[in-house]
Amino acid sequence: MPLLRRGADVLWEALCPAFYSYPPSTIRVLQQLTKPLSRRRLCTTRRLNDSKIRFIRKNAPPGLHKPRKDFEKANGFFTSDDSTSIIKSGPVAYFPDPDGAKTNQSRSKEATWHSLWRKVSDKHIQRPRSLRQSTENSKIPELDERLTGPSPDYLGDRQIPKEIRKATDDVATIPYHSTSRTAGFKARRGQDSTELSDDQLYEELRRASSAGDYPRIHTVLEIMIKERGVKPDRRHYQALLLANTSAQHGSPVEVAGIVEEMEEEGIGLDSAAYHAIIKVLAVHPDYLLRRRILEEFRQRWFALSNDGWHDVIVGLLRDKQLDLAVETLQSVQQEGIRIQPWLYDMLIFGLCDVGEYDEALAILRFRVDNGEQLISGNVWHYLLDRASGAFHLAGTVFVWRKRVETSYLNPCSGICLNVLDTAARHEDLRLATDVIRVVGKRDQRLHLYHYEALIEAYVPAELDTAFGLLALMASYGTPPAASSTRPIFLYLCQSSHLPDQALSILLGVAKHMPSMPAEAVNVIIEGYIYHDRFDQALDTYKSLHTLCPSGPVTSTFNTLFRGCRGRKDSAMFLASEMVAMKIAPDALTYDRLVLVCLEGQCGNEDVGDAWRYFEEMRGAGWWPRRGTAMALARRCCVNGDERIWQLQGDEDGGKGLGRSVIQRMVDENWMKEVSGGGGRHAAEIVMEDEKAWRSYIGPFLLLGLVLWIVYALLLSQKHPGPIFNHLRNFCTFFYSAFLKPHAKGDGSGQQAALESFYKVQADVYDATRKRLLCGREDMLALAAAQLNFQAQQGLFRHSKPVWLDIGGGTGYNIEAMSAFLHVPTFFSAIFLVDLSPSLCEVARKRFKRLGWDVNVLCEDARTFRLEDHLDKLDGVKPTVTGSPEYATAGARLVYKADVITMSYSLSMIPDYYNVVDSMVRLLAPTGLIGAVDFYVQSIVETAGRNYVGGSFNRHVNWLSRVFWRAWFDCDRVGLEGARRDYLEYRFGTKKILDQRNYLLGGIPFYIFLGCHCQGMSPRSQDLLETIDASCTESPQITPAKGHDFLLPLLPQPVIPVETRSKAYESAIINLSSNLPLPSTFYQNQQARIYYDEQLKKHTQFNHDYLYSFTWEDPRVDQRLLQISESDTVLCLTSGGDNLLEYLVTASPRRIHAVDLNPNQNHLLELKVAAFQALPYADVWRMFGEGHHPDFRKLLIEKLSPQMSSQAFQFWVKHIGRFSSSTSFYDYGGSGHVIKLVRSLSWLFGLRQQVQSLCSSKTRNEQREIWFKIRPMVLSRTLHWALVGTEWFLWKAAGVPPPQRQLIIRDAMDMPQALAKQERVSDATGEAMWDYIVNTLDPVAENTLLSETNYHYLLALTGRYTRRCHPLYLGAKAHAKLSQPQAFSGLRIHTDELNEIIQRFKPATLTIAIIMDSMDWFDPSTNAASTQICALNRALKLKGRVLLRSAGLKPWYVAVFEEHGFSTKRVAARLPGMCVDRVNMYASTWIMTKTEKV
């Protein structure tokens, strides 16, 4: 192979002497062979005439054989030219026979023959294979004479490497730099490029490479390669590599292509080339390419230069791998390499950007400690700014001490305020005082926020100073506010005795101050009230005049009113005090007086007082807070007071309660008693509302003002760039959504409102919704997957489906669907319906640009009908209505859509009920509906609904519900749960997915895929037969004809109720309540049986499975049971491996997979779906290698039609288990074992030995390795620390306590009897030790891990191999399991085994494989006997139960014998014996039913 990859010229010169050693006749024949090749392209040996082929075979050395065409094509020797299959390439290669012996002479002749064929192609002017393609149309006069000798007449066919070609072809499109050097070169080239010598060109190339001048390098290469015919070598490629250091034109993709081209051309990378690549990756980071290059660099023992290390660290910084960059920097420093200051600066800037202030400070300290004097002032300034903004005290103090106090740095007022806040938060008095000193020197008046931060710094260390500052504020003309005392109040809240201390301190400070502000006393009163010490608060108020000559203020009374809960008399006293002192009340005063009157068991008089305060409040133009209004409304409802309607606010002002809220309260609580404590609850609501308004309204107003200014500036730009365009689009969106007043309209209703909202932003709609409206692509992908499945099954009523996009807006959905389907040919007609004329106009322009025939209609979705557009429905079959079977005289022809989609439009439709009802009428019987939209909903609202298709991640917490509902109300977007509920009520759920848009703060959105509640499955011909089948061993219902067919059956049950399945019962309940059926009934594959996922017995597993693979040996099961096609088998799901193997080897009539853990069945569903939908290569990558980078794409586009909604939700949540670098088998409970084994092998240095163990060729070799590592693997220390613990046995190995007791009892019955153990714990540990030894030693001695024992191979390596894997992962098994009906007999049950068995029709099962589940029963209960009785009832006579046990003779064997079974132990694992490939269980039993009990 090396000979085949070298240049033709080098080969010819090297092998020319050997050529002339051949006889003259041979040389003449070869020369004759070259003549026709000079006029036409070289063809394969199959195109040579027979005589030439015979000559070659006759004269070729015996060690050569016929060329392999596939290998030649793979290595570029043959390249298709046109439809005539003429091959234009290099030599026809002969490859040595791998088994033939060669002498030096034969090798020499072989090399000579290679040379001859290379010379034949060299007459063709052999160049790297992409050279000719770039210059076939090149017409350069006298170029031949400037190459290597006379030019043949077929020069246009020579090849230039593709990267060189790209460099020379694209040079005309690249702008030149405006440097003097480039201009001079352009001038010289413009005169005559031939005047420049080769040395001058190489010098120019060197200069351009050192400068990274992309256009200049490409210009030089154009002259050298195209005009002068210079053969590309390492210098040209290196120049191309350095050209990519251009920030504007460079690309890591181009670098990878250049490296690949160099490898193909046999030009090795030297140290300079590696350094050039690293330099490029510092500008254009690519982590994978950098890692590959550095690995090759180390393997070739090259030394990285100082500049190279700098480039590596810069690349890591650009890749945001700051931890790795810091580690690399430290290692470089340890090597004694001097780091340039600019790299330190970049590190500090990068670390500050991600909040790693400790690391940034450490680097800066290192530089200062090492005497570096010229540290940039920008670095100091930036660190001070970012550290103080993040309240990082150490970084702030270091910069302040080093630069600000020494007057080297003069921070702005904003940074000073940040530093002051940092000092306040960390109670650094010195720093806070220094900041005030710096600010004071600027002749700047201290503001309220300066004082407040300073007070926060002095609390609690110097509380007297904090009170003194309050007094100074008032004397300096900055009176304190309530916010000024928040630090003091938070301190007083810590303990009930602190207000007393604060009062004594305040009395001491007041002696030295002329006066104290009322806020100083108010905060102490507030502290007393917080600790429910109202009497002390009232006493403090009475002594206020001695501290504050000015007396109390309104806020003083408001604070006291807050503590008057249940103390109306005290409140009235304080109110009279306000009147006497002529202190004007405010809105909060009235609000709290109303609450005081409503506290506790208030009478009519108290309610009357509350109404009087309310009327006074309204007279002053104020409204109470919402919580207060709600409390007053509740009291009115209880008393039947019609004055409740006075709480209704005006629509324009937006204050008061809404009419719908009052009406709902009246309907629910009129004249009904309510529980006490309503006042306290109302007060809490008021406080929450008050905090919410304070936290939201200010930032919104400030943000709106800033964006308005930015938007005005952007509009003034005449030639904006991309960044300005993005900003302009965003500002347009923000203005339209949050600032622009909604037009009141001209009576046009919803259309006028939509046009008012969208008209300004229609042109930027798509540009601003990409990140906001998440999930649209996923919804379309799911819909496309379902449509493809329906097309394959022939479910469309006509050849092509009809698509209706409601609220389609700009048509983004239809264009985005082209990523999954060929839209113009897949659909017979497409309709886009939207009510906004502006958005429809954008859609029309889009489809005109695409050239698609899409009907864009500006209509109301409530009144839209397809039959109104018959001219667009050619080839679409109508549906006859008026009679279910025949077209009668009263029948009417209507047209239906096969798919309806809605993207974020349902939430913007006020009358959504009518729109959803209209979609029901528009959707075809087998049609599909897809929707994606925002929502907020509590899990409480969906409790008890069994038709929603899973509630995983559906719950939205209270704060998010309140916030997002209020946020979207600004845009008239309704997020109430009723919209989604009604959609799920009117349609059957196929798939549901609840997700969050975390990029924008976690906005909740859902994806819904549904179908008609009736008539989903036309394959079911007789619904009654299907329901009857559900009462036997196949609990399954297909809603073929839905309510109309099923409801008449309800009063006429023909089978006893106790034999009905839970799925049947749930369906009957839903149908009798006029609800959709559970989601499982609408799936394409109905193997999964309905279960209630909200039950505690299912949620106890925390959304994870325990076993990712099965630990039982299915080969032994098949040998013992001889499963046949007529068997009905029940087995535990576990990892699903054995079940799939039964289907491959025996194909039983029916298999029932049972597991209480829903996630185990989700795993089985995934495996079944993979076999049904994916090729073998993808199945192997997923379950053989445990990793597939495209798993998310496969899940949505291929697997989703084959899975239930719950299983689909589970795997969307756990996509990383396949797409991450970690193996799929590292997850779940069994994943603990694999990761533990891997960690221990690394910890004890056994990784290499474990790999050797798993790759052993023979059992003897395996035994030798095992006995080397056995002392460590089976060490007593490891056993004591891990294996003997209950946590490991249960969580990792899946051994429950009852099973552990079986192991201990067998150990005690052994001859050695463990009698030497004095403690029970010692006996337990010794028993587990012996059990593990008896498990592992025989496996290592009697099975070969690398060939047959895939169980332990997976446990040790985390993956299977092509030689050793379960039978179902083979290619032949995939061919069988990928057949359409391969899983038609599979039923997946999610329930307790006993629950499933009891509902089977008697005498229907033939085989039950229950693994070791009987070991889990407690002998002190009758649970085991109950399950055995159920098994006896469900099994046919002579039916068999296969089970395994950790005990040699478990206690429940006698129970089987008592309940009509004969028992036989078919395997017993005694010390040193290996009963199967797993060898995990002490015994295997077959229980045969002999009589009915």
Side-chain angles (χ1 to χ4, degrees), residues 1363-1396:
R1363 293 194 304 170
C1364 185
H1365 56 74
L1367 181 63
Y1368 77 91
L1369 284 180
K1372 293 183 180 179
H1374 179 270
K1376 182 175 182 178
L1377 295 179
S1378 60
Q1379 297 300 316
Q1381 301 301 319
F1383 297 97
S1384 59
L1386 175 63
R1387 300 293 180 268
I1388 305 174
H1389 306 264
T1390 308
D1391 211 333
E1392 298 168 353
L1393 185 61
N1394 196 31
E1395 284 282 337
I1396 299 299

Side-chain angles (χ1 to χ4, degrees), residues 1175-1193:
Y1176 175 67
D1178 289 326
V1179 174
W1180 173 256
R1181 293 188 70 180
M1182 287 176 59
F1183 302 110
E1185 299 175 1
H1187 171 74
H1188 201 304
D1190 297 327
F1191 175 66
R1192 190 180 195 279
K1193 181 179 180 181

Side-chain angles (χ1 to χ4, degrees), residues 1244 1271-1285 1329:
F1244 295 124
M1272 190 65 68
V1273 175
L1274 296 179
S1275 66
R1276 295 284 182 172
T1277 303
L1278 181 62
H1279 164 73
W1280 171 83
L1282 191 63
V1283 179
T1285 63
W1329 163 262

Side-chain angles (χ1 to χ4, degrees), residues 879-894 896:
T879 300
V880 179
T881 62
S883 174
E885 300 292 341
Y886 308 100
T888 63
R892 182 170 60 92
L893 296 179
V894 296
K896 302 283 189 179

Side-chain angles (χ1 to χ4, degrees), residues 644 993 1306 1324 1329:
I644 187 175
L993 196 60
D1306 281 350
T1324 302
W1329 163 262

Side-chain angles (χ1 to χ4, degrees), residues 803-939:
W803 182 8
L804 172 60
D805 191 18
I806 296 179
T810 62
Y812 174 85
N813 280 357
I814 299 175
E815 183 178 1
M817 180 65 89
S818 62
F820 315 107
L821 298 172
H822 190 258
V823 176
T825 59
F826 189 87
F827 298 98
S828 60
I830 304 175
F831 293 87
L832 186 152
V833 178
D834 199 280
L835 200 56
S836 171
S838 300
L839 296 183
C840 288
E841 185 60 31
V842 175
R844 292 187 184 97
K845 294 178 181 178
R846 178 194 296 271
F847 299 128
K848 182 178 180 181
R849 170 177 56 83
L850 295 172
W852 292 358
D853 184 15
V854 178
N855 305 291
V856 180
L857 306 172
C858 186
E859 294 187 20
D860 193 335
R862 295 173 297 180
T863 59
F864 174 78
R865 296 292 181 270
L866 283 171
E867 49 267 25
D868 296 336
H869 306 276
L870 295 178
D871 57 324
K872 305 295 185 181
L873 296 171
D874 293 339
V876 178
K877 298 179 181 179
T879 300
V880 179
T881 62
S883 174
E885 300 292 341
Y886 308 100
T888 63
R892 182 170 60 92
L893 296 179
V894 296
Y895 289 83
K896 302 283 189 179
D898 296 282
V899 57
I900 300 176
T901 54
M902 298 184 71
S903 293
Y904 294 97
S905 54
L906 185 62
S907 57
M908 298 198 67
I909 301 175
D911 190 10
Y912 58 90
Y913 290 107
N914 286 335
V915 174
V916 175
D917 292 339
S918 176
M919 288 193 297
V920 176
R921 294 190 297 269
L922 289 168
L923 189 64
T926 59
L928 180 73
I929 179 171
V932 56
D933 216 325
F934 301 118
Y935 84 101
V936 290
Q937 204 166 34
S938 170
I939 193 63

